[in-house]
Amino acid sequence: MICVGIDVAKDKHDCFILSSEGEVLADVFTIPNNMEGFGKLLQTIRACSRPGDKIKVGLEATGHYSYNILGFLLDKGLPTFVINPLHTNLYRKSLTLRKTKTDRVDARTIAAMLLSDVDLKPYTGTSYHNEELKSLTRYRFDKVRERAKLKTAVSRLVCILFPELEKLFPNLHIASVYALLREFPGAKQVAGANLTRLKNLLHEASRGRYGRENAVEIRDIARNSIGSFMPAKSLE
């Protein structure tokens, strides 16, 4: 069996190859984080192995830095193990290696972990899909949080620029209100709007729900609004 330990970093990866007999087949060597470097790693692995040899490749879970080399290894059909850095650290301490963390030590530690087979499971299609689901979940959570902040900001600005607007609609955060504020961002602008343009805008944004009567009401209220005229806030 051939065990390959890889310590992943942003611009380069340190690699170490060990045989099942504990023989060092390739002492720590560094590859750049690009296709040429990946090719060098694959070439070195092949040079160190014979037909029929079982190959295990391990690397630490280092977030987005490990995605590309992981994908490359999986595409080449190499059984790959993604190891929690905490486990690597604990295993290194159990071997009484130097306490100072260096890439050189980590590459060797990972290879040794693969050789000892300490309850490691290979990265599979299920693992890949789980990572994708995690990424999508995080992305959705971030967008929902951003949307909530934007809604709060819109409510705050309307309270300053056209506070009466909130009572004219069931909800500030609907297409009709957003269309109105996009073109007329404040009571001052609504008060000076062309009635036909205002009516058409509301009618189109609401899909016919709001018409001329609503446009007249909104403009009349805007002309008597206590809202401040603040161009900077309107720009927001």
Side-chain angles (χ1 to χ4, degrees), residues 40-53:
K40 177 185 175 182
L41 172 62
L42 184 62
Q43 184 179 11
T44 306
I45 292 173
R46 288 173 175 170
C48 293
S49 59
R50 295 168 297 182
D53 280 346

PDB file of all heavy atoms in Angstrom, residues 40-53:
ATOM      1  N   LYS A  40       2.694  17.037 -11.355  1.00  0.00           N
ATOM      2  CA  LYS A  40       3.929  16.542 -10.727  1.00  0.00           C
ATOM      3  C   LYS A  40       3.598  15.578  -9.600  1.00  0.00           C
ATOM      4  O   LYS A  40       4.263  14.537  -9.443  1.00  0.00           O
ATOM      5  CB  LYS A  40       4.738  17.728 -10.195  1.00  0.00           C
ATOM      6  CG  LYS A  40       6.010  17.316  -9.466  1.00  0.00           C
ATOM      7  CD  LYS A  40       6.723  18.511  -8.857  1.00  0.00           C
ATOM      8  CE  LYS A  40       7.929  18.066  -8.023  1.00  0.00           C
ATOM      9  NZ  LYS A  40       8.616  19.219  -7.378  1.00  0.00           N
ATOM     10  N   LEU A  41       2.576  15.890  -8.813  1.00  0.00           N
ATOM     11  CA  LEU A  41       2.165  15.003  -7.724  1.00  0.00           C
ATOM     12  C   LEU A  41       1.715  13.653  -8.261  1.00  0.00           C
ATOM     13  O   LEU A  41       2.134  12.603  -7.765  1.00  0.00           O
ATOM     14  CB  LEU A  41       1.025  15.657  -6.926  1.00  0.00           C
ATOM     15  CG  LEU A  41       0.345  14.768  -5.872  1.00  0.00           C
ATOM     16  CD1 LEU A  41       1.346  14.331  -4.805  1.00  0.00           C
ATOM     17  CD2 LEU A  41      -0.834  15.504  -5.240  1.00  0.00           C
ATOM     18  N   LEU A  42       0.868  13.676  -9.282  1.00  0.00           N
ATOM     19  CA  LEU A  42       0.371  12.428  -9.864  1.00  0.00           C
ATOM     20  C   LEU A  42       1.520  11.604 -10.443  1.00  0.00           C
ATOM     21  O   LEU A  42       1.566  10.375 -10.257  1.00  0.00           O
ATOM     22  CB  LEU A  42      -0.655  12.748 -10.953  1.00  0.00           C
ATOM     23  CG  LEU A  42      -1.341  11.549 -11.611  1.00  0.00           C
ATOM     24  CD1 LEU A  42      -2.132  10.751 -10.581  1.00  0.00           C
ATOM     25  CD2 LEU A  42      -2.271  12.020 -12.734  1.00  0.00           C
ATOM     26  N   GLN A  43       2.442  12.280 -11.105  1.00  0.00           N
ATOM     27  CA  GLN A  43       3.599  11.594 -11.693  1.00  0.00           C
ATOM     28  C   GLN A  43       4.456  10.946 -10.602  1.00  0.00           C
ATOM     29  O   GLN A  43       4.914   9.809 -10.757  1.00  0.00           O
ATOM     30  CB  GLN A  43       4.428  12.595 -12.499  1.00  0.00           C
ATOM     31  CG  GLN A  43       5.609  11.994 -13.235  1.00  0.00           C
ATOM     32  CD  GLN A  43       6.380  13.033 -14.029  1.00  0.00           C
ATOM     33  OE1 GLN A  43       6.162  14.225 -13.885  1.00  0.00           O
ATOM     34  NE2 GLN A  43       7.292  12.581 -14.875  1.00  0.00           N
ATOM     35  N   THR A  44       4.653  11.640  -9.503  1.00  0.00           N
ATOM     36  CA  THR A  44       5.458  11.111  -8.395  1.00  0.00           C
ATOM     37  C   THR A  44       4.771   9.909  -7.751  1.00  0.00           C
ATOM     38  O   THR A  44       5.425   8.913  -7.413  1.00  0.00           O
ATOM     39  CB  THR A  44       5.701  12.205  -7.339  1.00  0.00           C
ATOM     40  OG1 THR A  44       6.279  13.356  -7.965  1.00  0.00           O
ATOM     41  CG2 THR A  44       6.633  11.703  -6.245  1.00  0.00           C
ATOM     42  N   ILE A  45       3.451  10.007  -7.585  1.00  0.00           N
ATOM     43  CA  ILE A  45       2.702   8.883  -7.008  1.00  0.00           C
ATOM     44  C   ILE A  45       2.849   7.645  -7.892  1.00  0.00           C
ATOM     45  O   ILE A  45       3.091   6.531  -7.407  1.00  0.00           O
ATOM     46  CB  ILE A  45       1.215   9.248  -6.837  1.00  0.00           C
ATOM     47  CG1 ILE A  45       1.044  10.319  -5.755  1.00  0.00           C
ATOM     48  CG2 ILE A  45       0.395   8.006  -6.467  1.00  0.00           C
ATOM     49  CD1 ILE A  45      -0.379  10.854  -5.646  1.00  0.00           C
ATOM     50  N   ARG A  46       2.712   7.830  -9.188  1.00  0.00           N
ATOM     51  CA  ARG A  46       2.828   6.705 -10.127  1.00  0.00           C
ATOM     52  C   ARG A  46       4.234   6.127 -10.136  1.00  0.00           C
ATOM     53  O   ARG A  46       4.421   4.901 -10.257  1.00  0.00           O
ATOM     54  CB  ARG A  46       2.422   7.164 -11.525  1.00  0.00           C
ATOM     55  CG  ARG A  46       0.909   7.390 -11.664  1.00  0.00           C
ATOM     56  CD  ARG A  46       0.546   8.006 -12.999  1.00  0.00           C
ATOM     57  NE  ARG A  46      -0.913   8.096 -13.159  1.00  0.00           N
ATOM     58  CZ  ARG A  46      -1.505   8.769 -14.141  1.00  0.00           C
ATOM     59  NH1 ARG A  46      -0.770   9.430 -15.047  1.00  0.00           N
ATOM     60  NH2 ARG A  46      -2.826   8.790 -14.216  1.00  0.00           N
ATOM     61  N   ALA A  47       5.229   6.997  -9.993  1.00  0.00           N
ATOM     62  CA  ALA A  47       6.622   6.529  -9.984  1.00  0.00           C
ATOM     63  C   ALA A  47       6.924   5.715  -8.723  1.00  0.00           C
ATOM     64  O   ALA A  47       7.807   4.848  -8.735  1.00  0.00           O
ATOM     65  CB  ALA A  47       7.569   7.733 -10.077  1.00  0.00           C
ATOM     66  N   CYS A  48       6.200   5.994  -7.648  1.00  0.00           N
ATOM     67  CA  CYS A  48       6.432   5.310  -6.374  1.00  0.00           C
ATOM     68  C   CYS A  48       5.600   4.045  -6.215  1.00  0.00           C
ATOM     69  O   CYS A  48       5.761   3.315  -5.223  1.00  0.00           O
ATOM     70  CB  CYS A  48       6.129   6.253  -5.206  1.00  0.00           C
ATOM     71  SG  CYS A  48       7.269   7.648  -5.057  1.00  0.00           S
ATOM     72  N   SER A  49       4.714   3.774  -7.146  1.00  0.00           N
ATOM     73  CA  SER A  49       3.807   2.627  -7.009  1.00  0.00           C
ATOM     74  C   SER A  49       3.979   1.657  -8.169  1.00  0.00           C
ATOM     75  O   SER A  49       4.523   1.990  -9.222  1.00  0.00           O
ATOM     76  CB  SER A  49       2.354   3.119  -6.955  1.00  0.00           C
ATOM     77  OG  SER A  49       2.024   3.848  -8.117  1.00  0.00           O
ATOM     78  N   ARG A  50       3.487   0.462  -7.945  1.00  0.00           N
ATOM     79  CA  ARG A  50       3.509  -0.578  -8.968  1.00  0.00           C
ATOM     80  C   ARG A  50       2.087  -1.009  -9.282  1.00  0.00           C
ATOM     81  O   ARG A  50       1.187  -0.794  -8.457  1.00  0.00           O
ATOM     82  CB  ARG A  50       4.317  -1.782  -8.473  1.00  0.00           C
ATOM     83  CG  ARG A  50       5.795  -1.508  -8.258  1.00  0.00           C
ATOM     84  CD  ARG A  50       6.456  -2.632  -7.504  1.00  0.00           C
ATOM     85  NE  ARG A  50       5.906  -2.773  -6.158  1.00  0.00           N
ATOM     86  CZ  ARG A  50       6.336  -3.660  -5.272  1.00  0.00           C
ATOM     87  NH1 ARG A  50       7.305  -4.498  -5.598  1.00  0.00           N
ATOM     88  NH2 ARG A  50       5.788  -3.738  -4.081  1.00  0.00           N
ATOM     89  N   PRO A  51       1.868  -1.624 -10.431  1.00  0.00           N
ATOM     90  CA  PRO A  51       0.509  -2.090 -10.753  1.00  0.00           C
ATOM     91  C   PRO A  51      -0.022  -2.996  -9.646  1.00  0.00           C
ATOM     92  O   PRO A  51       0.674  -3.901  -9.177  1.00  0.00           O
ATOM     93  CB  PRO A  51       0.711  -2.860 -12.063  1.00  0.00           C
ATOM     94  CG  PRO A  51       1.919  -2.240 -12.673  1.00  0.00           C
ATOM     95  CD  PRO A  51       2.820  -1.879 -11.529  1.00  0.00           C
ATOM     96  N   GLY A  52      -1.231  -2.738  -9.202  1.00  0.00           N
ATOM     97  CA  GLY A  52      -1.829  -3.540  -8.144  1.00  0.00           C
ATOM     98  C   GLY A  52      -1.669  -2.935  -6.762  1.00  0.00           C
ATOM     99  O   GLY A  52      -2.321  -3.387  -5.809  1.00  0.00           O
ATOM    100  N   ASP A  53      -0.788  -1.959  -6.626  1.00  0.00           N
ATOM    101  CA  ASP A  53      -0.636  -1.307  -5.324  1.00  0.00           C
ATOM    102  C   ASP A  53      -1.899  -0.539  -4.955  1.00  0.00           C
ATOM    103  O   ASP A  53      -2.512   0.117  -5.810  1.00  0.00           O
ATOM    104  CB  ASP A  53       0.543  -0.320  -5.340  1.00  0.00           C
ATOM    105  CG  ASP A  53       1.881  -1.012  -5.173  1.00  0.00           C
ATOM    106  OD1 ASP A  53       1.889  -2.191  -4.779  1.00  0.00           O
ATOM    107  OD2 ASP A  53       2.918  -0.371  -5.449  1.00  0.00           O
TER     108      ASP A  53
END
